[in-house]
């Protein structure tokens, strides 16, 4: 049975955009094969070595279209106040006046693809349907990996279900015509002039975070920039952890962690449920449950290797789309960090001949792989579970070369919310702009919260109030502390298991912690660090809380909160005052 509102909308958009033909995507094999054929023949894609990367392709983007563009991303709520000081705002009618004309006739002579997609497992009370209309076959191919596409979505939608509307066009990729705009009151996303992941795959950041965060506020749940993992102890007890780290700060890596050999020998197991986005809602037992709304991984390529993240490499061996990585002479792919020895020659991400001597990067620092989640060797049996998984711990973390220790635990939910609200991290290549600059990124949601950040913090406090003693414990980690020579002191990657184990031990009531002014911290001994052979001064640095540094940190937090005026929740102000007095004493 047809969904009349959907059909009407599609018809209306076709009237505006004037495509040659209209194609409803069903997600089938035949469909994707013909799209790959189209894109290899017109040069959009290069087919990779069939025996080494079956059914996989390389795409090179426009050189000016390689990352999210936060400066061109808008929240178009009716009131400016509702977007808050951390978002770009434009009045809905004003944005429509700018962006609607760009879509007029923009698909002339081309195909308009209608993509029905489901965010979340079929049959889950947490799942939601979106429809993306696009003129980009590259977007269709990515969405087919990243979401549950086609019939499954239309079945969930039924005849009169709600859906989020997404309208996308490649335009001419001119950066000054690029708009990633969100209309929360219309359940509508309009994206123009970019084909890059977070700008163009509208189910991802635009729907599953910006619009979903608004819905979550209204309906009493949370849409978060978090990985979800399961961890099973040798005794067979299974715990689930959600972790929010800013873009390119280690979610995919932690979600797919392979424990060090001694943990494997002892019987520890880590499973992956999600690597980027979590939707969290109270279950019938009053605990928070998480689902991963996505169906694939849009992972950072550079730095991914068999040493750092074997599960990611195995996930993207086949049926994968690579974007902006380097191409080797045998039609395999390469990026910085994949192997110690670079290839003797390659074609770089811009399509030019490259040798290691050239001094340039072969792959763009934000080059990515789009791979089906089910290809991940560590994927959890709960990946498709409609109920989601119960969350035992929430972890916040940023990329900080100084100040922040390896791990500490919040005293309680309100303090944990404060830890999220005061997260700061050095900027990465995942968004356009200067890399390395320290900035506030509350809950790793700075670019993704679809409403006023202070209202969002209040929502966190309200959720905590509602869940009471059933709420997850909250932790803060930092894998990126550097010594005076600029070297990471923590080995990271699989050795992050030492920290995960302490977190699980804390949940089980057996992990030891001591009180410090900033929170509860382990003794280095409780992390069994002997095998890591760290220098004593590195251990010292990883577990140090320098009062002078923290005095500055607190002063800076107080300054930051001034941006939020009277909207700053009382609970957050109380935590600031309490932290200040603990540090000063
Ligand atoms: P988005 O997809 O942008 O949201 O990124 P993400 O948070 O999933 O980050 P990802 O796991 O892809 O890691 C980003 C970069 O950080 C990669 O180059 C990794 O190799 C590196 N990285 C991840 N974990 C660690 C770690 O524990 N230590 C160090 N030093 N680097 C890490
Ligand atoms: C991020 O930037 O956090 C990503 C990639 O996960 S994107 O899909 O572009 O948002
Ligand atoms: Mn992300």
């Amino acid at each position: 049975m047809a969904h009349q509102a959907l059909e009407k909308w599609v018809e209306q958009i076709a009237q505006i955009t004037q495509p040659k033909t209209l194609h409803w995507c069903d997600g089938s094999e035949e469909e994707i094969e013909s799209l790959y054929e189209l894109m290899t023949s017109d040069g959009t894609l290069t087919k990779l070595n069939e025996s080494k990367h079956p059914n996989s392709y390389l795409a090179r983007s426009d050189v000016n279209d390689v990352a999210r563009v936060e400066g061109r991303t808008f929240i178009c709520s009716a009131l400016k106040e509702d977007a808050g000081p951390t978002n770009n705002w434009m009045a809905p009618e004003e944005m429509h006046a700018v962006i609607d004309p760009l879509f007029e006739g923009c698909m002339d002579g081309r195909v308009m693809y209608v993509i029905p997609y489901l965010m979340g497992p079929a049959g889950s009370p947490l799942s939601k349907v979106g429809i993306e209309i696009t003129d980009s076959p590259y977007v269709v191919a990515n969405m087919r990996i990243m979401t549950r596409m086609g019939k499954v979505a239309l079945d969930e939608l039924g005849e009169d279900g709600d859906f989020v509307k997404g309208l996308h066009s490649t335009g001419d990729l001119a950066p000054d015509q690029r708009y990633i705009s969100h209309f929360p009151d219309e359940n509508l996303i309009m994206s123009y002039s970019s084909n890059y992941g977070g700008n163009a795959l509208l189910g991802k950041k635009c729907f599953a975070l910006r619009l979903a965060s608004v819905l979550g506020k209204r309906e009493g749940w949370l849409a978060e920039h978090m990985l979800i993992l399961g961890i099973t102890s040798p005794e067979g007890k299974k715990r689930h952890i959600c972790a929010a780290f800013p873009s390119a700060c280690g979610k995919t890596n932690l979600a797919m962690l392979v424990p060090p050999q001694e943990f494997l020998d002892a019987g520890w197991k880590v499973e992956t449920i999600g690597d980027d986005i979590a939707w969290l809602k109270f279950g019938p037992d009053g605990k928070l449950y998480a689902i991963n709304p996505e169906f694939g991984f849009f992972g950072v390529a550079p730095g991914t290797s068999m040493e750092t993240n074997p599960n990611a490499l195995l996930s993207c061996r086949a049926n994968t789309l690579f974007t902006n990585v380097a191409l080797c002479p045998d039609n395999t792919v390469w990026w910085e960090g994949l192997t110690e020895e670079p290839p003797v020659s390659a074609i770089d991400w811009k399509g030019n001949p490259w040798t290691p001597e050239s001094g340039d990067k072969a792959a763009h620092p934000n080059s990515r792989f789009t791979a089906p989640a089910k290809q991940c060797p560590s994927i959890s049996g709960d990946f498709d579970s409609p109920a989601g998984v119960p969350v035992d711990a929430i972890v916040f973390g940023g990329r900080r070369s100084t100040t922040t220790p390896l791990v500490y635990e919040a005293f309680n939910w309100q303090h944990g919310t404060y830890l999220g609200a005061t997260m700061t991290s050095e900027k990465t290549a995942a968004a356009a702009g200067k890399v390395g600059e320290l900035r506030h990124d509350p809950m790793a949601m700075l670019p993704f919260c679809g409403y006023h950040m202070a209202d969002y913090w209040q929502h966190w406090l309200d959720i905590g109030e509602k869940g009471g003693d059933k709420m997850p414990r909250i932790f803060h980690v930092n894998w990126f502390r550097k010594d005076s020579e600029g070297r990471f002191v923590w080995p990271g990657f699989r050795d992050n298991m030492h920290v995960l184990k302490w977190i699980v031990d804390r949940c089980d009531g057996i992990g030891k912690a001591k009180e410090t002014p900033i929170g509860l911290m382990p003794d280095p001994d409780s992390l069994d660090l002997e095998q890591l052979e760290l220098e004593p001064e590195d251990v010292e640095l990883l577990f140090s809380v320098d009062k002078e540094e923290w005095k500055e940190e607190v002063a800076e937090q107080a300054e930051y909160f001034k941006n939020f005026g009277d909207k700053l929740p009382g609970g957050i102000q109380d935590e600031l005052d309490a932290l200040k007095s603990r540090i000063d004493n």
Side-chain angles (χ1 to χ4, degrees):
M1 250 308 124
H3 187 295
Q4 289 190 347
L6 170 58
E7 302 226 319
K8 203 172 138 204
W9 179 61
V10 169
E11 216 171 281
Q12 188 195 334
I13 297 304
Q15 283 291 329
I16 295 168
T17 58
Q18 291 292 311
K20 176 181 66 180
T21 51
L22 194 152
H23 177 95
W24 283 79
C25 299
D26 60 10
S28 66
E29 285 299 326
E30 303 75 62
E31 179 178 79
I32 194 66
E33 273 168 26
S34 75
L35 286 177
Y36 281 148
E37 211 174 285
L38 174 79
M39 287 189 280
T40 41
S41 60
D42 75 6
T44 309
L45 297 182
T46 303
K47 180 158 171 51
L48 296 176
N49 186 313
E50 182 61 23
S51 64
K52 293 186 174 151
H53 287 294
N55 191 33
S56 298
Y57 297 84
L58 166 68
R60 290 189 197 102
S61 77
D62 189 277
V63 291
N64 292 314
D65 188 31
V66 294
R68 284 181 296 98
V69 281
E70 296 176 3
R72 315 262 339 155
T73 300
F74 292 85
I75 302 297
C76 305
S77 46
L79 299 177
K80 182 164 197 231
E81 177 74 359
D82 290 339
T86 58
N87 281 310
N88 299 313
W89 175 82
M90 213 190 270
E93 56 282 5
E94 199 184 327
M95 179 56 89
H96 277 301
V98 173
I99 200 171
D100 292 4
L102 297 173
F103 282 93
E104 282 169 21
C106 73
M107 298 185 190
D108 186 23
R110 328 236 307 275
V111 182
M112 174 172 124
Y113 299 94
V114 181
I115 310 170
Y117 64 94
L118 178 66
M119 298 306 285
S124 169
L126 289 90
S127 295
K128 290 186 185 289
V129 175
I131 306 288
E132 175 163 357
I133 294 180
T134 180
D135 53 12
S136 162
Y138 169 78
V139 165
V140 176
N142 276 278
M143 286 293 282
R144 182 173 181 271
I145 299 172
M146 293 306 296
T147 70
R148 294 160 172 93
M149 181 201 277
K151 184 172 182 306
V152 60
L154 292 176
D155 286 350
E156 290 278 322
L157 189 61
E159 279 176 48
D160 55 6
D162 285 338
F163 63 96
V164 164
K165 298 171 185 159
L167 178 54
H168 168 260
S169 175
T170 305
D172 55 9
L173 297 177
D176 61 352
Q177 294 211 327
R178 196 165 287 160
Y179 292 97
I180 320 300
S181 51
H182 304 72
F183 302 87
D185 296 331
E186 299 171 63
N187 257 342
L188 170 70
I189 304 151
M190 292 176 81
S191 165
Y192 193 79
S193 207
S194 169
N195 278 352
Y196 170 74
N199 300 333
L201 313 178
L202 302 184
K204 200 173 180 39
K205 298 305 178 18
C206 300
F207 175 177
L209 290 179
R210 298 196 190 93
L211 290 189
S213 63
V214 175
L215 295 175
K217 165 83 171 167
R218 244 181 249 156
E219 299 167 0
W221 54 282
L222 294 166
E224 299 298 332
H225 191 199
M226 289 178 177
L227 68 91
I228 312 168
L229 64 80
I231 176 165
T232 308
S233 72
E235 296 75 41
K237 192 169 172 85
K238 190 164 189 182
R239 297 285 192 180
H240 294 96
I241 298 177
C242 288
F245 308 154
S247 301
C249 290
K251 289 181 301 300
T252 300
N253 278 268
L254 191 66
M256 298 178 189
L257 178 144
V258 177
Q261 196 57 47
E262 67 272 20
F263 284 86
L264 291 174
D265 292 344
W268 288 90
K269 188 175 173 191
V270 171
E271 289 163 282
T272 310
I273 293 135
D275 81 323
D276 197 50
I277 298 177
W279 285 353
L280 303 105
K281 207 177 207 170
F282 288 111
D285 60 359
K287 282 192 79 164
L288 268 189
Y289 282 72
I291 61 158
N292 171 11
E294 302 192 280
F295 200 52
F297 306 125
F298 184 61
V300 176
T304 307
S305 71
M306 275 320 264
E307 277 66 53
T308 57
N309 193 353
N311 282 332
L313 267 196
L314 296 168
S315 304
C316 66
R317 199 188 80 85
N319 309 307
T320 294
L321 271 171
F322 295 89
T323 302
N324 290 342
V325 300
L327 182 68
C328 298
D330 62 347
N331 273 9
T332 57
V333 288
W334 191 81
W335 49 77
E336 279 69 20
L338 174 61
T339 51
E340 226 163 279
E341 276 293 310
V344 180
S345 71
I347 306 290
D348 71 9
W349 69 275
K350 292 179 179 166
N352 298 323
W354 177 94
T355 62
E357 293 73 40
S358 77
D360 294 330
K361 298 249 190 261
H364 187 275
N366 191 40
S367 53
R368 301 253 168 184
F369 55 84
T370 315
K374 290 210 176 150
Q375 292 183 178
C376 182
S378 58
I379 199 75
S380 163
D382 291 324
F383 176 72
D384 280 318
S385 157
V389 294
V391 182
D392 299 291
I394 287 175
V395 181
F396 292 120
R399 191 180 273 270
R400 289 293 302 265
S401 7
T402 66
T403 318
T404 317
L406 180 64
V407 58
Y408 57 108
E409 183 184 346
F411 298 119
N412 51 47
W413 182 267
Q414 176 171 292
H415 182 227
T417 302
Y418 184 83
L419 299 188
T422 52
M423 264 170 70
T424 49
S425 193
E426 288 144 24
K427 237 197 103 277
T428 65
K434 188 155 175 257
V435 171
E437 223 163 51
L438 189 64
R439 68 170 185 179
H440 283 271
D441 191 347
M443 280 88 171
M445 284 286 279
L446 176 71
F448 309 121
C449 181
Y451 60 102
H452 197 297
M453 189 61 82
D455 289 338
Y456 167 69
W457 295 335
Q458 185 61 55
H459 184 48
W460 264 75
L461 296 173
D462 294 344
I463 291 270
E465 191 87 5
K466 179 159 176 218
D469 60 6
K470 293 196 170 142
M471 292 308 278
R473 286 171 181 255
I474 299 182
F475 299 82
H476 191 289
V477 301
N478 177 22
W479 313 142
F480 299 96
R481 195 137 175 183
K482 290 183 177 167
D483 64 13
S484 51
E485 265 114 63
R487 189 183 54 95
F488 290 124
V489 284
W490 176 245
F493 300 104
R494 66 192 310 190
D495 289 318
N496 294 331
M497 183 67 196
H498 291 266
V499 174
L500 289 186
K501 177 176 180 294
W502 182 71
I503 289 173
V504 168
D505 284 349
R506 290 293 297 163
C507 295
D508 289 339
I510 54 173
K512 290 207 189 70
K514 58 175 191 285
E515 215 172 303
T516 79
I518 64 167
L520 300 161
M521 275 179 69
D523 214 55
D525 292 345
S526 1
L527 266 64
D528 300 323
L529 302 177
E530 299 76 37
Q531 302 92 328
L532 300 183
E533 295 177 0
L534 300 170
E535 299 296 328
E537 59 270 26
D538 289 347
V539 176
E540 170 79 32
L541 192 60
L542 288 168
F543 292 86
S544 71
V545 178
D546 182 297
K547 278 219 166 175
E548 289 315 308
E549 275 182 352
W550 273 91
K551 272 186 191 166
E552 276 177 41
E553 186 86 2
V554 173
E556 203 281 323
Q557 291 174 357
E559 205 48 46
Y560 176 64
F561 285 141
K562 287 186 185 157
N563 294 314
F564 304 92
D566 341 329
K567 279 252 188 183
L568 188 73
I572 298 291
Q573 181 66 48
D574 291 349
E575 290 298 329
L576 172 68
D577 296 341
L579 173 62
K580 189 167 183 328
S581 78
R582 290 194 304 267
I583 297 281
D584 288 342
N585 286 323

